[in-house]
Amino acid sequence: MVEFPKLPQQKLLQRLEHPQRKVRMVLDTDTYNEIDDQFAVIYALKSPESVTVEAFYAAPFFNDLSEGAKDGMEKSYNELLKIQSIMPEMTDIPIYRGSEGYLAEAGVPQESEAARNLVERAMAASEDDPLYVVAIGAITNVASALLMEPRIIEKIVVVWLGGHALHWHDTTEFNLAQDLHASRTVLNSGVPLILVPCAGVASHLATTLSEVEDYVRDKGPLGQYLYETYRDCSNNHFGYSRVIWDISTIAYLVDPSWIPSTLVHSPLLSEDFRWSVDHSRHFIRCAHYAHRDSVFKDFFQKLGE
C-alpha cells in the first residue's frame, strides 16, 4: 500500500488558507461532459489577476455523451482544443490526455500523460509556492499522480468540485461516484484539499438562457460559443435554469468570500457513497455556500474585457 508523507499540521492548515495572492494552477476537466466546464475554462483564463493557468488535463467520464471513460476523456480533450482555437489566451497552454479508465483497485494508478505531467510540474514547484490543482471532474488523474509520486503532497493544493454537502443524505455525485478508489485516495491521502460540494453549495450557481442572452451572447466568439453551448443543453428553456457548477472552484481562488468555507475533518467515504465523520482524521477545507450573484457578476464582466 502506498504511504503518503504527512504534512505537519501547521503547514497543512497554512495550505488550507486562501493564498491571498496570484497562484499557479492546472485545470483537470471533463470538458465535454456538461456545459459548465467550458465556462470554468474560460473563467480561469479571464482571471489573470488571480491565477496563471499552466496546463489543462482531460479527465475521463462515462455517461450518455460517451461510450466509456476513454471516449469521454478523448471528447474532453477535443473540446479543450476547440476552446483553444477561439481563445487567444489559451494558445500556448499545453493540453494533456488523461486516464483512459478509472482506478481498478485501491493504490494502483491509471498512468497517463496528464498524471505524469502533474507529477513533473508539482515536483518542480517550490514548497513556498505550491501548484494549485483545480479538478472539476472525476479525480482519477489527480489520484493517479498522488499514487505515482506521493511526495507531490508537499508541493500541491487540490481544489475539487466533488460530492455533495456533508449534511446531504448521500454523496452520489457524478464526479465523486465515477471513481470510488480515486475519491478515497484523495480524501485519505492528507493532501491539502479545498472541497467544493455540489448539491447544497455549488448548486446555487444557476443561470438561465435569458441571462446568457443578455450578458454572454454578444461577447465575441467566446460569448457566442458559450451561448450556443447553453442554448443547446435543453429543448425547452421555459422556466428552466441550469447550474454552472464548475465555476465555483475558480471563484474560490478569485475571492474566497464568494465561496465561504470552514475547516473540517476529512470525511470518510463509504462503499454506498455516504459521508461519515472521524474527528481523528486530518483537516480539509470545505465550502458551505456560494454567493451566486457575486460570482456571475465577475464572470460576465470579465467576458467583456
Side-chain angles (χ1 to χ4, degrees):
M1 197 67 180
V2 174
E3 290 190 15
F4 295 103
K6 185 176 181 180
L7 288 179
Q9 181 154 298
Q10 183 178 358
K11 177 172 281 190
L12 175 62
L13 295 178
Q14 181 183 17
R15 291 278 175 87
L16 293 176
E17 291 297 319
H18 187 273
Q20 299 296 327
R21 58 179 173 79
K22 184 175 181 176
V23 299
R24 301 163 47 242
M25 65 163 276
V26 294
L27 185 58
D28 187 79
T29 162
D30 55 348
T31 328
Y32 192 80
N33 164 52
E34 257 268 25
I35 70 167
D36 51 338
D37 292 78
Q38 295 91 325
F39 281 75
V41 168
I42 292 168
Y43 190 20
L45 291 168
K46 288 290 187 179
S47 300
E49 78 292 346
S50 300
V51 299
T52 297
V53 184
E54 294 190 351
F56 291 97
Y57 303 144
F61 76 89
F62 179 34
N63 59 17
D64 293 342
L65 294 176
S66 71
E67 298 175 359
K70 178 181 178 181
D71 181 56
M73 183 276 293
E74 284 289 343
K75 286 178 174 174
S76 294
Y77 177 81
N78 290 329
E79 191 70 12
L80 285 166
L81 292 176
K82 181 178 180 180
I83 300 172
Q84 190 177 56
S85 71
I86 60 172
M87 190 169 191
E89 296 94 328
M90 194 172 170
T91 300
D92 297 323
I93 301 176
I95 302 169
Y96 297 92
R97 288 182 169 88
S99 305
E100 295 184 353
Y102 305 120
L103 269 58
E105 57 183 289
V108 180
Q110 276 275 350
E111 290 210 28
S112 66
E113 61 178 21
R116 288 190 291 271
N117 181 264
L118 176 52
V119 169
E120 179 182 351
R121 207 172 284 273
M123 290 305 293
S126 163
E127 289 192 22
D128 296 326
D129 185 22
L131 178 70
Y132 278 71
V133 182
V134 180
I136 52 179
I139 201 74
T140 309
N141 294 333
V142 180
S144 294
L146 285 164
L147 293 168
M148 290 160 60
E149 179 47 88
R151 290 180 298 165
I152 68 173
I153 278 181
E154 300 168 345
K155 302 291 192 80
I156 65 173
V157 177
V158 177
V159 184
W160 182 33
L161 179 85
H164 293 318
L166 298 184
H167 67 273
W168 220 250
H169 61 283
D170 66 51
T171 192
T172 311
E173 179 275 325
F174 187 69
N175 290 349
L176 180 146
Q178 284 184 89
D179 195 335
L180 175 64
H181 293 310
S183 298
R184 280 178 162 173
T185 296
V186 172
L187 289 163
N188 296 343
S189 67
V191 69
L193 173 63
I194 315 300
L195 184 66
V196 183
C198 290
V201 181
S203 52
H204 291 289
L205 298 174
T207 190
T208 64
L209 182 62
S210 297
E211 192 170 44
V212 173
E213 285 177 339
D214 286 345
Y215 305 121
V216 175
R217 181 171 58 176
D218 65 348
K219 300 299 190 297
L222 283 178
Q224 186 65 29
Y225 163 75
L226 291 176
Y227 165 73
E228 291 174 0
T229 300
Y230 190 100
R231 180 196 63 197
D232 296 343
C233 75
S234 176
N235 294 324
N236 183 1
H237 284 274
F238 181 76
Y240 176 85
S241 65
R242 184 95 169 195
V243 179
I244 310 299
W245 316 87
D246 293 341
I247 60 174
S248 58
T249 56
I250 309 302
Y252 169 79
L253 291 174
V254 172
D255 190 330
S257 70
W258 299 342
I259 310 292
S261 59
T262 53
L263 291 174
V264 300
H265 295 278
S266 185
L268 289 163
L269 177 59
S270 70
E271 293 280 347
D272 61 345
F273 299 102
R274 297 180 189 279
W275 295 128
S276 60
V277 177
D278 179 347
H279 292 290
S280 69
R281 282 165 63 84
H282 62 278
F283 284 105
I284 67 169
R285 180 168 292 279
C286 187
H288 54 79
Y289 190 69
H291 290 279
R292 183 256 178 223
D293 292 357
S294 297
V295 175
F296 276 108
K297 283 178 181 178
D298 186 57
F299 177 74
F300 294 152
Q301 180 179 4
K302 286 175 176 174
L303 268 184
E305 295 175 350

